[in-house]
């Protein structure tokens, strides 16, 4: 069945460091891929998305490229800020509009 | 812009009690979902609905029931609450336009069963 695997956290970085959070997926067909962010005490918010192979989603300095050959959708940011501290979830939309989430990666950014 | 609204935000139940978590969306989305999020874990799908009158089980449906009498509302019923149902519950909705429709989440309902 469809599933998402993402790197375990927590990830601790200093401000202005480069961020990569790995995400790989298993799916039948051609799913859409998403990154969601959850700030403490809040619900999940869409960060970025990609709907087909080689698409690059981007938002707020974050980027992720849909790589069909490696079934990956890694999240990157060139220079993180303290305000980026949150939990990041990779997700895919499979058949019947069902969404599958990874276990989440907590990011801590220190000043 | 209300989006997806969940009530209550917090609730404490005793073992064996029942309750309903309310969820409403004002975006005219046809798909609605209930997820639970346990500490340090991802989201697990409890139930989902593709439209009024149509619901189906997700990954972890045991101990829960849903109904979808209108497009807007998708309540989640917990019968005979157990400590294993202590979790944060998220309602979400989505539209379907090819692959582009993403999930919109409510703020969550934190449930503790003692």
């Amino acid at each position: 069945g469809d599933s998402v695997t993402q790197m375990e956290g927590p990830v601790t970085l200093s401000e202005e460091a480069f961020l990569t959070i790995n995400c790989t997926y298993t799916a039948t067909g051609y799913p859409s891929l998403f990154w969601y962010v959850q700030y403490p005490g809040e619900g999940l918010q869409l960060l970025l998305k990609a709907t087909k192979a080689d698409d690059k989603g981007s938002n707020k300095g974050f980027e992720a490229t849909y790589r069909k050959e490696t079934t990956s959708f890694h999240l990157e940011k060139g220079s993180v800020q303290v305000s980026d501290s949150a939990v990041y979830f990779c997700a895919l939309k499979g058949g019947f509009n069902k969404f599958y989430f990874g276990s989440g990666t907590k990011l801590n950014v220190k000043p | 812009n209300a989006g997806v609204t969940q009530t209550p935000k917090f609730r404490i139940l005793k073992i064996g009690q029942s309750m309903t978590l309310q969820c409403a969306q004002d975006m005219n989305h046809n798909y609605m979902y209930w997820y639970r999020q346990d500490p340090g874990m991802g989201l697990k799908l409890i139930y989902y609905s593709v439209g009024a009158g149509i619901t189906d089980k997700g990954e972890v449906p045991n101990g829960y029931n849903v109904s979808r009498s209108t497009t807007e509302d998708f309540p989640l019923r917990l019968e005979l609450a157990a400590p294993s149902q202590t979790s944060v519950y998220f309602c979400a909705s989505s539209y379907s336009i090819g692959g582009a429709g993403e999930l919109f989440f409510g703020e969550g309902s934190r449930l503790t069963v003692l």
Side-chain angles (χ1 to χ4, degrees):
Chain A
D2 296 352
S3 66
V4 175
T5 302
Q6 64 181 102
M7 64 186 285
E8 293 189 13
V11 173
T12 300
L13 296 173
S14 297
E15 207 165 24
E16 299 184 0
F18 184 85
L19 169 70
T20 299
I21 300 178
N22 290 337
C23 171
T24 58
Y25 68 90
T26 301
T28 54
Y30 303 96
S32 295
L33 301 174
F34 305 82
W35 277 99
Y36 281 83
V37 59
Q38 184 180 33
Y39 298 102
E42 298 184 9
L44 280 73
Q45 306 171 25
L46 179 68
L47 182 59
L48 52 84
K49 66 182 180 183
T51 58
K52 61 183 186 298
D54 300 324
D55 268 2
K56 177 185 282 189
S58 61
N59 186 26
K60 299 180 180 179
F62 291 89
E63 294 182 339
T65 301
Y66 188 165
R67 302 285 188 199
K68 185 171 181 291
E69 64 276 13
T70 55
T71 62
S72 65
F73 193 55
H74 305 320
L75 182 68
E76 296 181 337
K77 187 175 185 183
S79 176
V80 294
Q81 306 300 312
V82 172
S83 58
D84 293 327
S85 298
V87 181
Y88 293 82
F89 292 91
C90 185
L92 72 82
K93 183 165 81 167
F96 303 104
N97 233 56
K98 292 172 79 170
F99 289 76
Y100 299 87
F101 287 82
S103 57
T105 302
K106 185 173 184 179
L107 172 64
N108 296 314
V109 180
K110 297 187 173 182
Chain B
N1 292 338
V4 179
T5 303
Q6 292 182 234
T7 56
K9 287 187 168 45
F10 303 93
R11 182 74 186 266
I12 298 175
L13 284 180
K14 294 182 179 179
I15 294 172
Q17 287 185 318
S18 299
M19 74 160 297
T20 299
L21 298 176
Q22 302 291 344
C23 175
Q25 54 92 9
D26 62 359
M27 297 173 283
N28 202 33
H29 287 170
N30 49 340
Y31 291 87
M32 294 188 75
Y33 311 77
W34 275 105
Y35 287 90
R36 59 177 287 172
Q37 183 182 28
D38 298 324
M41 306 290 287
L43 280 73
K44 298 294 185 185
L45 181 64
I46 304 171
Y47 271 96
Y48 71 105
S49 169
V50 303
I54 306 171
T55 63
D56 204 352
K57 297 177 180 178
E59 303 166 86
V60 289
N62 291 344
Y64 307 94
N65 277 300
V66 294
S67 60
R68 182 100 181 267
S69 57
T70 66
T71 299
E72 294 78 20
D73 300 301
F74 190 43
L76 177 72
R77 177 86 177 158
L78 281 73
E79 304 282 1
L80 299 174
S84 61
Q85 293 179 304
T86 294
S87 190
V88 180
Y89 292 83
F90 288 101
C91 181
S93 70
S94 172
Y95 58 96
S96 180
I97 304 179
E102 69 263 29
L103 276 177
F104 293 79
F105 282 88
E107 293 185 347
S109 298
R110 183 176 296 274
L111 175 67
T112 302
V113 182
L114 301 174

